Amino acid sequence: MAARAGRLRATVRDVAAETGLSIATVSRVLNGQSNVAPHTRELVLRAVGRLGDQAPRPRTPHEGGAVYVRCPYVLTDYFGLIVSSVGETVELHGRQMILGAGEAAQHSAVLPGLPDRPEVAGAILILPPEPGDELVRLRDRRFPFVVIDPRTPPPKDIAAVSAAHFAGGRKLMAHVVELGHRRVGIIGGPVKWLPSEARLAGYTASLADAGVLPVPELLRNVPEPSIEHGYRAACELLDLPERPTALVAFNDKMAVGALWAAAERGLSVPGDLSVAGFDDIDVSRATSPALTTVRQPLQEMGRMAVTLLMRLLSRHTLEALHVSLGTELIVRGSTGPAPR
């Protein structure tokens, strides 16, 4: 498309010339109409994706259009805090929220149909299970959306909000190391999750600062970040011939499972074993002792995502597409000096 080198924005005619399709067909694709063959739609969307910000814009969503919020998980305290914050902020902007939640929603192909729903102006996707190429296809259809807490690294031109997982993990492990712990068991989250990898990198960075190299036998990754999986992983670590003096879990729920495993073995916390989590959800304050953890700004993540989406709906250019919000180390009674 060298012919449009000096122009600010390509036109529908440019896309039609590039793809060999009619102007009317390109317009139907850009406006989300359904009477287009799938291979034709894909051809147009690939051309639009190559143009990026210079691509012709589809019709503007209805000003009062609703915000679709996809959270395919049980709305416990973690996801519940994010969703409630999103809902309150959406209402402040004078829009309605359509919520798709619950684990059954993980098996629903929701994303491809969102641009075809006239009542929906944009979407917020919370920890979306869909692969990255599905998000790219949604972007190529010029549908406005923001991802909260992405599972995998989002493409550079997709708006996303998350917590500073690496920095939070590093601060937490630095605290554990300062207490004298060197043999630390790590109960990691699901493999290939971006938060899991970032927190693990933070943990190992602080251990390396203390001259401690990673020990494979002290790492357990779980398929699901739950109390039960945290308990099972902690049992394996505490039953090692040389057990760790501290356990650091991917989240607070898994740390609760670690406390159960320690109690079964007659270990006092923090006298015999230190335990720490991540998130600072309600359960972290309900244990005895209360959990040392890292506070994620869950409600602020929701508010920030809505703010970014409103700017996208207003056709503003976002200079900061990937927003990482700061975390805070919260020291409570579950961590103490390493036993002699």
Side-chain angles (χ1 to χ4, degrees):
M1 294 189 181
R4 53 168 194 84
R7 291 155 59 179
L8 293 176
R9 183 173 299 281
T11 65
V12 173
R13 187 181 300 276
D14 292 324
V15 178
E18 171 75 7
T19 58
L21 300 170
S22 69
I23 293 175
T25 298
V26 173
S27 295
R28 285 198 296 272
V29 174
L30 290 176
N31 289 326
Q33 296 179 20
S34 58
N35 56 336
V36 181
H39 70 277
T40 300
R41 184 184 302 279
E42 191 69 23
L43 183 63
V44 173
L45 294 179
R46 282 201 299 267
V48 168
R50 289 193 297 271
L51 284 167
D53 288 341
Q54 290 184 313
R57 290 171 175 169
R59 66 186 178 202
T60 303
H62 189 272
E63 285 188 7
V67 173
Y68 185 89
V69 178
R70 177 162 167 76
C71 183
Y73 309 97
V74 177
L75 296 183
T76 54
D77 37 12
Y78 181 90
F79 292 110
L81 284 171
I82 297 175
V83 169
S84 62
S85 176
V86 168
E88 292 168 0
T89 312
V90 166
E91 186 175 2
L92 288 175
H93 285 274
R95 294 179 183 265
Q96 292 185 326
M97 180 178 78
I98 300 174
L99 177 62
E103 292 180 341
Q106 293 184 20
H107 309 292
S108 303
V110 174
L111 302 193
L114 285 177
D116 301 324
R117 296 178 60 170
E119 78 279 14
V120 174
I124 290 177
L125 312 176
I126 302 172
L127 195 65
E130 292 81 5
D133 57 352
E134 285 197 35
L135 300 180
V136 170
R137 283 197 289 271
L138 188 61
R139 174 208 65 191
D140 288 348
R141 294 187 67 181
R142 319 305 287 175
F143 180 77
F145 68 96
V146 178
V147 177
I148 295 179
D149 214 6
R151 283 196 187 196
T152 57
K156 64 180 181 180
D157 50 356
I158 288 179
V161 180
S162 63
H165 297 290
F166 174 85
R170 187 166 192 164
K171 283 186 287 189
L172 178 61
M173 188 60 77
H175 163 70
V176 172
V177 167
E178 286 171 2
L179 291 171
H181 297 276
R182 295 297 181 268
R183 188 167 173 81
V184 181
I186 296 173
I187 307 176
V191 176
K192 295 184 179 179
W193 273 26
L194 179 60
S196 301
E197 294 178 351
R199 292 178 197 178
L200 178 60
Y203 300 152
T204 55
S206 282
L207 287 170
D209 290 341
V212 180
L213 296 177
V215 179
E217 72 170 358
L218 291 178
L219 172 63
R220 297 290 187 279
N221 284 99
V222 302
E224 181 184 345
S226 65
I227 292 177
E228 292 75 15
H229 283 99
Y231 164 77
R232 292 172 192 162
C235 288
E236 293 179 11
L237 291 167
L238 294 178
D239 288 341
L240 289 172
E242 184 183 355
R243 65 172 176 80
T245 63
L247 294 178
V248 172
F250 172 75
N251 67 7
D252 291 337
K253 290 183 178 180
M254 292 164 63
V256 170
L259 290 176
W260 289 1
E264 281 187 353
R265 287 154 179 78
L267 299 174
S268 68
V269 176
D272 299 319
L273 177 75
S274 287
V275 177
F278 204 108
D279 290 340
D280 193 34
I281 58 176
D282 287 347
V283 71
S284 69
R285 296 179 288 278
T287 59
S288 181
L291 281 171
T292 290
T293 185
V294 174
R295 178 175 295 157
Q296 285 201 73
L298 300 176
Q299 292 174 300
E300 184 59 27
M301 286 162 60
R303 287 189 286 265
M304 177 62 71
V306 175
T307 299
L308 292 177
L309 181 62
M310 292 303 129
R311 293 185 64 193
L312 289 173
L313 291 173
S314 300
R315 306 299 182 190
H316 292 167
T317 299
L318 301 182
E319 293 184 0
L321 279 169
H322 295 177
V323 179
S324 180
L325 301 179
T327 55
E328 180 185 359
L329 174 66
I330 306 296
V331 177
R332 299 196 179 104
S334 66
T335 51
R340 294 180 180 179

